[in-house]
Amino acid sequence: MPQPRKSEKTEAFSEPWFMSDAVLLVEDETFHVHRRILASCSQVFEDIFVTKNADAVSLPGKKADDVREMLFAIYPHVWKDISDENCVCLIELAHEYKIQSLMERCENYLKNRKNSAEEALHLILLSQLFYLSEDFIQLCIEVAKRIPPCSLKASDVFGKLNPLIARELLKESVDFWEKRRAQAPIFNASMQKAILFLQAKGMLLEQRKLRLSHLRFELTQKRAFKSRKHVY
């Protein structure tokens, strides 16, 4: 099977290319696509192209740049990587058009990303809105629980969470900070012991240096005395 020629126009889907047989109309742009490729990964496009036999589909309310990113991500000859720049818009489109493979790629990207506690809180809300997996939500809770309870309660994002998820996150946060407070005296005692040990070690080293200095001085004096005795 011949491979499609790659050019900027081909990759941008802006004109007919390599047996393209349908178009997506987004804002003022036209994307030339393949029914079989879109139908194979999307239940929604399968219904549009196969069941309804449409060859021109308007996507009102969508941004052309976002749809282009979606096509780049699902077309085998491009298979663009998921990144911070395109992940959220791809999750939204994957959810709306039921593209499960793309949703899983986005979720795996977020799982492997090093998220801060604040970012994890936002990702919990994102997961709630677009039905990401329960495992992913639990991973985010493990990170977001580092936010102090008082800060959580004051957060607008926290206020938008499902009450069950919010309750679980708040409980995890309270438990996390109570454990930290309980461990603080032990940590401080350990640090104090370490400081005293280092101080004692430093004093011992200073004493050794002083003793060596005295020995060198005594040795120098003895040599000088022997030299004078030999002269006389």
Side-chain angles (χ1 to χ4, degrees), residues 129-143:
L129 293 173
F130 299 106
Y131 302 97
L132 299 185
S133 72
E134 190 65 30
D135 288 345
F136 180 65
I137 293 176
Q138 291 302 316
L139 286 175
C140 292
I141 288 176
E142 275 298 304
V143 178

Side-chain angles (χ1 to χ4, degrees), residues 187-226:
F187 175 77
N188 291 336
S190 299
M191 284 296 294
Q192 188 64 31
K193 288 180 181 179
I195 292 170
L196 291 173
F197 171 78
L198 291 174
Q199 289 176 342
K201 188 175 180 180
M203 291 175 63
L204 183 60
L205 288 173
E206 288 298 323
Q207 289 175 357
R208 287 178 179 175
K209 288 180 181 178
L210 185 60
R211 178 59 180 162
L212 286 173
S213 178
H214 289 163
L215 288 173
R216 291 193 188 98
F217 178 75
E218 291 175 1
L219 182 60
T220 302
Q221 292 295 318
K222 288 179 180 179
R223 286 176 180 172
F225 177 75
K226 288 181 179 179

Side-chain angles (χ1 to χ4, degrees), residues 138-205:
Q138 291 302 316
L139 286 175
C140 292
I141 288 176
E142 275 298 304
V143 178
K145 72 181 183 182
R146 296 182 174 87
I147 301 174
C150 57
S151 298
L152 271 179
K153 292 177 181 179
S155 168
D156 291 337
V157 177
F158 180 79
K160 296 176 183 177
L161 295 183
N162 176 289
L164 291 176
I165 296 176
R167 192 179 303 121
E168 180 182 357
L169 174 57
L170 185 60
K171 179 181 180 301
E172 291 290 334
S173 176
V174 170
D175 290 346
F176 175 79
W177 286 98
E178 284 182 350
K179 287 179 182 177
R180 287 200 64 172
R181 281 192 289 270
Q183 292 170 353
I186 299 174
F187 175 77
N188 291 336
S190 299
M191 284 296 294
Q192 188 64 31
K193 288 180 181 179
I195 292 170
L196 291 173
F197 171 78
L198 291 174
Q199 289 176 342
K201 188 175 180 180
M203 291 175 63
L204 183 60
L205 288 173

Side-chain angles (χ1 to χ4, degrees), residues 59-148:
L59 304 181
K62 300 296 177 287
K63 295 181 179 179
D65 288 343
D66 292 348
V67 172
R68 184 180 293 105
E69 285 294 316
M70 179 186 73
L71 296 175
F72 282 161
I74 64 178
Y75 259 75
H77 79 285
V78 182
W79 202 254
K80 185 174 180 179
D81 290 338
I82 311 300
S83 66
D84 284 359
E85 287 70 30
N86 63 16
C87 189
V88 173
C89 78
L90 290 179
I91 287 176
E92 293 175 357
L93 293 173
H95 171 73
E96 180 166 350
Y97 297 113
K98 294 180 170 55
I99 309 175
Q100 187 59 33
S101 59
L102 181 56
M103 185 70 82
E104 290 174 358
R105 286 179 61 201
C106 291
E107 185 173 312
N108 287 333
Y109 170 79
L110 293 174
K111 282 181 179 178
N112 294 320
R113 187 179 184 275
K114 291 184 178 179
N115 300 300
S116 67
E118 290 292 340
E119 288 171 335
L121 178 61
H122 282 80
L123 289 176
I124 294 172
L125 180 59
L126 185 73
S127 303
Q128 176 182 302
L129 293 173
F130 299 106
Y131 302 97
L132 299 185
S133 72
E134 190 65 30
D135 288 345
F136 180 65
I137 293 176
Q138 291 302 316
L139 286 175
C140 292
I141 288 176
E142 275 298 304
V143 178
K145 72 181 183 182
R146 296 182 174 87
I147 301 174

